Amino acid sequence: MDDHLKRLWRHRGATLPTPRRGPKQQLDLDEILAAAITLADASGLEAVSTRAVAARFGKTAMALYPYVGTKENLLALMQDHASAMPTPAPATLREWATALFELYLAHPWLTERSWAQGSQGPNEQDWMEALLAILEGLEVEAGKRAPAVTMLYATTRATAQTAAAYRRLTPADEAAWLTGATAIPDFASRYPLSTALTPPAANWREAPYAGLMAAVDLLTAGLRSDP
């Protein structure tokens, strides 16, 4: 197991690597990650660098390297650290999707990390294991489980991204959107099906989560139906 994996699995039995040279370790990895996550929550991933995180401890970027490795290592460690699953673990598809939705809202930058950048850490894996346990409890056919996992992750991620974007809208943004929405007088006649679509919630700010729950219910009904 290389040093990066040891850091990821430090709370699951792996021993943290120690610097081979230099002074005795003075920082705590959990504290470093908490500081980096606070920075990302406030200003996005673009604000995160080893220099910026190290500065919070009065250190240089090079001083941080023995604790986290490269910047990409730091981001992966942040990703897994921020992804800790609530206790007790979700027991239904609605609970699972709600918990992940809330995690993404608490840390919107998580949705900026590509799925190709999976952390290989235990916290992220806990979500997958919990979801598969729920699907097994529902006696979902083996061949349907992978597509269900893809649909649930993708829908939860997309609706959380939308909800987070709604939270960032200013009154001026809302006014501009309304102006644009009414600028084309024959829009309804051009797109009658689109304009007649019933929204999942009366309040547009609540629509992403309401849409997620409706999608989960549709998927659940499909998984339970006969093949």
Side-chain angles (χ1 to χ4, degrees), residues 186-200:
D186 61 344
F187 188 87
S189 60
R190 286 174 180 264
Y191 305 102
L193 297 179
S194 298
T195 52
L197 187 66
T198 302

Side-chain angles (χ1 to χ4, degrees), residues 28-205:
D28 178 81
L29 180 53
D30 285 358
E31 292 178 359
I32 292 172
L33 298 180
I37 288 168
T38 297
L39 190 60
D41 289 347
S43 304
L45 277 183
E46 63 275 7
V48 177
S49 66
T50 52
R51 183 186 300 276
V53 176
R56 297 204 163 201
F57 298 92
K59 304 290 184 181
T60 65
M62 285 301 295
L64 207 65
Y65 183 83
Y67 298 91
V68 301
T70 65
K71 179 182 177 180
E72 181 55 38
N73 290 156
L74 169 63
L75 294 177
L77 288 164
M78 289 169 56
Q79 181 177 333
D80 192 70
H81 193 69
S83 297
M85 180 179 289
T87 303
T92 67
L93 292 182
R94 270 180 161 254
E95 289 178 1
W96 184 93
T98 296
L100 187 58
F101 181 89
E102 291 175 349
L103 178 73
Y104 284 150
L105 282 187
H107 309 293
W109 54 271
L110 283 173
T111 64
E112 298 174 28
R113 297 281 292 166
S114 165
W115 276 318
Q117 296 169 305
S119 71
Q120 295 184 303
N123 288 326
E124 282 198 316
Q125 193 59 43
D126 287 343
W127 288 93
M128 175 69 80
E129 194 71 8
L131 176 54
L132 291 173
I134 294 168
L135 295 177
E136 184 171 337
L138 293 173
E139 299 183 348
V140 175
E141 294 177 30
K144 291 183 178 180
R145 293 186 189 185
V149 166
T150 299
M151 292 173 68
L152 284 162
Y153 268 103
T155 304
T156 304
R157 184 184 178 104
T159 52
Q161 283 180 312
T162 301
Y166 282 175
R167 288 186 174 187
R168 294 192 295 269
L169 290 176
T170 66
D173 293 329
E174 294 178 38
W177 189 90
L178 289 172
T179 298
T182 57
I184 305 173
D186 61 344
F187 188 87
S189 60
R190 286 174 180 264
Y191 305 102
L193 297 179
S194 298
T195 52
L197 187 66
T198 302
N203 185 331
W204 60 271
R205 291 184 180 275

